[in-house]
Amino acid sequence: MSKRISKAEKERIAAILELLDKEYSTEIKIYLNHETPWQLLIATILSAQCTDDRVNLVTKDLFKKYKTLEDFANADIRELEADIHSTGFYRNKAKNIIQCTKTLISEYGGEVPKDIDELTKLAGVGRKTANVIRGNIYKEPSIVVDTHVKRISRKLGFTKEEDPEKIEYDLMEILPKDHWILYNIQIITHGRTICVARSPKCEQCFLNSYCKSFQSASICDMKRNKNEQKK
């Protein structure tokens, strides 16, 4: 059942998206370096609990060493673990990459599937990874919920959920389809430059007048100041 969104809330969401478009452009771009769909799939698997910059450093040599899906499928797992060690959770990632590439070869003729249900059957592929592929390779309207999207969407009041899949569905309800993949790209940039997790630059943020977290904090500060003045 679709959520009922008030006219005022629709206008607030539209204003936020307009500001994001103006600040970060509407260009669809991905931060993980790749030349083929399967390379993006592997890079996204590696990106779990790891920065894109670190993944790009690793895949720069990785994709030179393992030039084909067959190279990954036939890789020695201990050697692959060593190659991807710095991305973290390397044992599980190596196992998933080998199994995933074997499945791509045996069941999909070496092609990365487009359907989300087919993608999420692959080892190491959850909805986030599947939506990265769908949105960036196949241009299918998809919402990618990473740590930035989760954190900032909650601050903006777009969702109250903690579970990424529930957040995905909440965002699908309120965001226009032409912004689904774009929102992720813009929010990643915003999360890296302004709404930084450890030290958000709230006073400098161009979204602060629409941010429910900031507004709530400001109200609390005002009340606190009034109480202190009364003492």
Side-chain angles (χ1 to χ4, degrees), residues 3 5 143 158-161 164-175:
K3 292 184 178 181
I5 305 172
I143 290 178
F158 286 173
T159 183
K160 294 180 180 179
E161 302 290 347
E165 187 169 344
K166 291 180 179 178
I167 293 172
E168 180 187 338
Y169 288 126
D170 277 351
L171 295 177
M172 287 169 70
E173 292 277 3
I174 66 172
L175 299 179

Side-chain angles (χ1 to χ4, degrees), residues 25 31-32 83 87 122 125 128 136 184 187 197 204 218:
S25 88
Y31 296 100
L32 293 171
D83 292 332
T87 67
L122 298 169
V125 178
K128 173 197 164 186
N136 291 280
N184 170 256
I187 292 298
Q204 302 174 30
S218 298

Side-chain angles (χ1 to χ4, degrees), residues 16-103:
I16 289 171
L17 296 181
E18 184 177 350
L19 287 170
L20 287 170
D21 289 351
K22 182 179 179 181
E23 185 71 20
Y24 301 124
S25 88
T26 56
E27 180 186 357
I28 302 294
K29 55 188 175 182
I30 182 138
Y31 296 100
L32 293 171
N33 296 335
H34 66 284
E35 294 181 357
T36 66
W38 64 261
Q39 285 185 344
L40 178 58
L41 181 60
I42 290 173
T44 309
I45 291 172
L46 291 173
S47 72
Q49 305 297 314
C50 183
T51 66
D52 290 349
D53 288 341
R54 167 57 57 184
V55 172
N56 287 336
L57 281 173
V58 170
T59 57
K60 182 179 179 181
D61 293 325
L62 192 71
F63 292 151
K64 290 178 181 177
K65 180 174 180 178
Y66 303 91
K67 295 182 173 65
T68 66
L69 278 174
E70 287 77 12
D71 288 342
F72 278 104
N74 298 320
D76 176 82
I77 190 166
R78 299 294 173 238
E79 187 173 351
L80 182 56
E81 286 175 359
D83 292 332
I84 65 172
H85 186 277
S86 64
T87 67
F89 301 96
Y90 59 92
R91 289 193 177 91
N92 203 41
K93 289 178 181 181
K95 180 182 70 175
N96 285 335
I97 287 170
I98 290 173
Q99 184 56 54
C100 178
T101 51
K102 284 181 176 178
T103 303

Side-chain angles (χ1 to χ4, degrees), residues 108-207:
Y108 298 100
E111 298 294 325
V112 177
K114 178 180 181 179
D115 181 77
I116 192 164
D117 291 329
E118 295 297 319
L119 282 164
T120 52
K121 288 178 184 177
L122 298 169
V125 178
R127 291 187 68 88
K128 173 197 164 186
T129 299
N131 281 325
V132 168
I133 297 299
R134 283 165 51 78
N136 291 280
I137 297 299
Y138 295 112
K139 311 305 178 187
E140 289 286 325
S142 305
I143 290 178
V144 179
V145 180
D146 59 11
T147 55
H148 294 294
V149 169
K150 176 181 176 178
R151 177 172 55 82
I152 296 174
S153 294
R154 285 173 54 83
K155 283 178 174 289
L156 291 172
F158 286 173
T159 183
K160 294 180 180 179
E161 302 290 347
E162 288 282 353
D163 179 72
E165 187 169 344
K166 291 180 179 178
I167 293 172
E168 180 187 338
Y169 288 126
D170 277 351
L171 295 177
M172 287 169 70
E173 292 277 3
I174 66 172
L175 299 179
K177 280 191 175 182
D178 62 358
H179 271 76
W180 281 10
I181 194 67
L182 184 60
Y183 176 77
N184 170 256
I185 294 166
Q186 293 171 334
I187 292 298
I188 285 176
T189 306
H190 193 63
R192 289 174 173 176
T193 56
I194 295 176
C195 193
V196 183
R198 292 183 179 178
S199 55
K201 304 172 185 176
C202 296
E203 298 295 338
Q204 302 174 30
C205 181
F206 58 90
L207 295 177

